[in-house]
Amino acid sequence: MNAVTGKNRNKLVVFAILVAAAALAVYFNSLFNGFVYDDEFVVLGNKWIRDVRYLGEIFSTHVWAFKRDSTSNYYRPLMHVLLMFDYYLFGLKPFGYHLVNLVFHTLNSVLVFLLTLLVFRRDRSWAQKGGAEADRLAPWFALFSGVLYAVHPVHVEAVAWISVLPDLSSGFLYLLALCLYIWKEDLTGFSRIACLLVSVVAFGTALFCKEISITLLAVLFLYDMAYEQRSRLRCLLNYVPYFIMAALYFVLRSMVLGTVVPQKQNIFLDTFQYVYNAFPLLAEYLRLLVLPVGLNSFYVFHPIFSFTDPRVLVSLGVVIVVVAVTLYSFRSYRAVFFGLGFLLLGISPPLYLPGVGTHGSVFAERYLYLPSAGFCVAATYVLARLFLRIKDQKKKTYFAAIFFILLLVSSLLTVARNPVWHDNYTLWHDVAQKTNDSAMVYNNLGSAADAYGHVEEAIDAYGNAIRLSPDMPEVYNNLALLYYIQGKQDKAIENYEKARELATKYSILAIIANGLGNAYMKKGMLDEAIKEYTEALQYG
């Protein structure tokens, strides 16, 4: 039966609206958040989004090229195009940017609902085990899957943080391409061809939003393994336009960046160490999906240097179990095979640690945004099969209540976490309570506390940052600026000088020299001030 145009179309429309309503409801309070963290340069300091004349640069350079002294492995031109759209609609009002993020998340939640329904409709084991009841209940379970995706707390970072727009936009195009690829099997003639072409275009566009979209090629193959009984030749013919689109993307990417795959950003582990360090990260991603507590906006990467470390062995055991369940489910639980396979394939790119870096963002909740769609499909199918096994109606009612309670708890956790992203102070104050071994966290907390007038807290935070990492020029520069504003020029000059000893980039050296000039001016040391201003101009 066609899941989109069959006799239950009106019910499906109502269910899609319910999914959208759930997404809008739980993230409504995020609309009143401001610009935080990377938003300050991705939006506020991004000259590219303010004039269409920069479109040439946007498509011909790496994602951070608008920043001086910046390098990047990433090519995401559509991120800036979408932000340009936001800017022309809303200027620099954060409400509009958050609204666009929420619209994308709402659409993605509806697509997860449709994806789950399409998978259930094609699962012969589902129909054989449940018969007419299974067919009748499929839309209800798909509704659960879509709402679960909409309200899952692990998505807060992606939805509430404006800078994660690439994950939201690529997720929309990726899921759209996947749903259309599946749906085309219900069509014939021109409609089928048109559906395939739109899917291919959506996939190609997704690549220009975020690199993780390339995993769709493997997910399409995974789906065909699970459900389609076509000949190998026909399958290959279906993949050809997707591979052509991917090839065009990689040609352009290599022309712009000079490389096809991400280059190593930091090298202090050998290849084997990079491999086994990925297991604890993967196990933690899986844990967050099942038990989304202790969420954090910044995770510090502590590399493990021995394969026999208990953290490696335990996490390796968890991964082996998940992979074994995925393979075993191919026999009788194809939706679980597809969903878990989707999850594992989607989370694999961030596990390439040299490509995502070895400091700061090696592990991040936003990396689960797209892969969690597979988790929702698999988890829903497992719960649905358990539900069908229950014969007593009263017990079915109790089991259905579990579904509702799970969604309610997830919704409450999401609503409660959204305000963490309200401003830089609320964000870094929350992070510092959970992460006490990162100089970057304390430096950011110090800057935020200073901006909100919490001077003593700022000084303490900078002190903690220096204690943890005494070679960060940014910390000394920020501390110097705080002392300058307080009128303590000798302390300001002392910290500016320390910052200059450590700095290597021209951009921060210019800021330091300008700060020193200001401090000398306050002390009436005009010759020293002029010297520093001249040096700042040379760096600038």
Side-chain angles (χ1 to χ4, degrees):
M1 177 180 175
N2 190 314
V4 179
T5 61
K7 62 182 180 181
N8 292 326
R9 177 186 297 183
N10 291 339
K11 178 192 287 188
L12 298 184
V13 170
V14 171
F15 283 4
I17 292 173
L18 289 175
V19 173
L24 294 171
V26 299
Y27 283 103
F28 179 76
N29 60 337
S30 74
L31 295 175
F32 307 100
N33 291 348
F35 294 112
V36 298
Y37 199 6
D38 287 354
D39 298 342
E40 294 182 348
F41 69 86
V42 171
V43 179
L44 300 180
N46 188 351
K47 65 179 181 180
W48 280 356
I49 70 173
R50 305 186 184 206
D51 199 318
V52 293
R53 66 188 176 91
Y54 289 114
L55 283 173
E57 288 185 46
I58 289 173
F59 280 90
S60 61
T61 51
H62 66 80
V63 69
W64 306 130
F66 64 91
K67 293 173 56 185
R68 191 178 176 188
D69 293 337
S70 65
T71 58
S72 176
N73 282 326
Y74 302 131
Y75 179 59
R76 301 171 182 173
L78 288 186
M79 179 187 85
H80 298 285
V81 174
L82 289 170
L83 289 174
M84 186 182 293
F85 172 80
D86 285 353
Y87 179 78
Y88 274 87
L89 283 181
F90 309 109
L92 293 177
K93 297 176 181 177
F95 177 89
Y97 293 79
H98 286 294
L99 179 61
V100 170
N101 273 27
L102 181 49
V103 168
F104 269 117
H105 178 60
T106 301
L107 293 173
N108 292 339
S109 301
V110 172
L111 285 172
V112 171
F113 159 69
L114 294 175
L115 174 64
T116 306
L117 186 59
L118 287 167
V119 168
F120 270 57
R121 295 297 196 191
R122 280 157 175 75
D123 195 287
R124 288 179 296 178
S125 178
W126 168 256
Q128 291 169 357
K129 294 293 183 182
E133 184 184 20
D135 186 64
R136 178 177 59 84
L137 291 177
W140 289 93
F141 291 121
L143 172 64
F144 171 80
S145 180
V147 174
L148 177 61
Y149 187 86
V151 305
H152 201 296
V154 83
H155 294 155
V156 170
E157 178 175 284
V159 183
W161 185 12
I162 293 169
S163 294
V164 189
L165 180 60
D167 295 75
L168 297 166
S169 55
S170 64
F172 168 70
L173 293 163
Y174 188 112
L175 291 170
L176 177 63
L178 178 57
C179 286
L180 290 174
Y181 180 84
I182 298 173
W183 186 37
K184 78 180 188 312
E185 297 304 314
D186 295 327
L187 306 175
T188 57
F190 177 78
S191 297
R192 179 188 177 93
I193 296 174
C195 191
L196 177 63
L197 289 177
V198 174
S199 174
V200 171
V201 171
F203 164 65
T205 309
L207 289 170
F208 288 89
C209 291
K210 192 168 183 179
E211 298 79 1
I212 191 177
S213 302
I214 195 63
T215 61
L216 180 64
L217 296 174
V219 171
L220 296 182
F221 177 74
L222 186 77
Y223 170 79
D224 283 336
M225 280 184 62
Y227 294 113
E228 295 301 332
Q229 303 300 318
R230 298 188 298 259
S231 67
R232 292 183 180 179
L233 177 60
R234 187 177 174 187
C235 286
L236 289 174
L237 290 176
N238 273 330
Y239 303 147
V240 166
Y242 294 93
F243 278 101
I244 291 175
M245 189 64 74
L248 292 174
Y249 164 76
F250 280 121
V251 168
L252 184 57
R253 174 188 171 87
S254 62
M255 290 173 60
V256 172
L257 302 182
T259 181
V260 174
V261 297
Q263 298 175 343
K264 290 185 177 182
Q265 298 185 43
N266 297 280
I267 304 174
F268 65 91
L269 298 175
D270 60 37
T271 302
F272 185 51
Q273 289 172 330
Y274 276 124
V275 171
Y276 65 69
N277 269 273
F279 293 122
L281 298 180
L282 178 54
E284 180 63 8
Y285 280 125
L286 296 173
R287 197 275 301 175
L288 287 177
L289 286 172
V290 177
L291 189 65
V293 296
L295 299 176
N296 198 354
S297 306
F298 188 92
Y299 294 84
V300 177
F301 175 54
H302 296 292
I304 300 171
F305 295 98
S306 172
F307 180 74
T308 58
D309 188 296
R311 290 171 293 175
V312 175
L313 298 178
V314 171
S315 60
L316 178 59
V318 171
V319 172
I320 290 175
V321 169
V322 172
V323 172
V325 169
T326 303
L327 297 176
Y328 175 79
S329 62
F330 181 77
R331 297 180 58 187
S332 303
Y333 303 90
R334 296 292 178 90
V336 176
F337 170 78
F338 172 73
L340 291 181
F342 185 170
L343 167 63
L344 295 174
L345 288 170
I347 203 61
S348 58
L351 296 178
Y352 175 62
L353 303 187
V356 297
T358 52
H359 299 287
S361 61
V362 168
F363 183 93
E365 292 161 14
R366 63 185 177 275
Y367 296 151
L368 278 171
Y369 185 74
L370 178 59
S372 61
F375 168 78
C376 290
V377 172
T380 299
Y381 188 83
V382 170
L383 291 174
R385 288 290 292 266
L386 291 174
F387 183 85
L388 288 182
R389 288 185 178 183
I390 301 173
K391 302 304 179 183
D392 183 82
Q393 191 60 44
K394 192 174 183 179
K395 290 182 179 179
K396 282 193 173 185
T397 302
Y398 292 148
F399 198 80
I402 296 175
F403 284 63
F404 177 78
I405 293 171
L406 178 61
L407 295 179
L408 179 62
V409 171
S410 296
S411 299
L412 293 176
L413 290 173
T414 296
V415 172
R417 182 151 180 79
N418 286 331
V420 168
W421 289 89
H422 183 268
D423 54 55
N424 278 322
Y425 182 71
T426 58
L427 175 67
W428 292 109
H429 190 270
D430 178 78
V431 174
Q433 289 180 325
K434 302 168 182 175
T435 305
N436 59 8
D437 56 353
S438 169
M440 177 182 171
V441 169
Y442 281 115
N443 180 51
N444 290 343
L445 175 60
S447 297
D450 184 22
Y452 283 85
H454 307 305
V455 176
E456 293 304 319
E457 184 178 4
I459 293 174
D460 288 343
Y462 289 138
N464 284 325
I466 291 172
R467 173 179 57 82
L468 291 168
S469 183
D471 57 352
M472 287 179 63
E474 296 87 352
V475 182
Y476 293 100
N477 179 74
N478 291 339
L479 186 56
L481 179 59
L482 187 153
Y483 284 132
Y484 168 79
I485 295 173
Q486 286 188 309
K488 301 176 180 179
Q489 304 310 325
D490 289 335
K491 285 190 173 183
I493 291 171
E494 177 186 348
N495 280 279
Y496 275 132
E497 291 288 0
K498 183 63 177 178
R500 179 152 59 186
E501 291 176 14
L502 299 169
T504 56
K505 291 185 177 181
Y506 286 156
S507 55
I508 191 171
L509 283 168
I511 294 172
I512 293 168
N514 185 70
L516 271 169
N518 292 337
Y520 283 131
M521 280 290 289
K522 284 287 187 179
K523 294 193 67 173
M525 303 168 65
L526 300 184
D527 290 341
E528 288 82 354
I530 291 173
K531 178 183 176 182
E532 295 299 335
Y533 288 142
T534 302
E535 189 170 333
L537 289 172
Q538 292 174 345
Y539 287 129

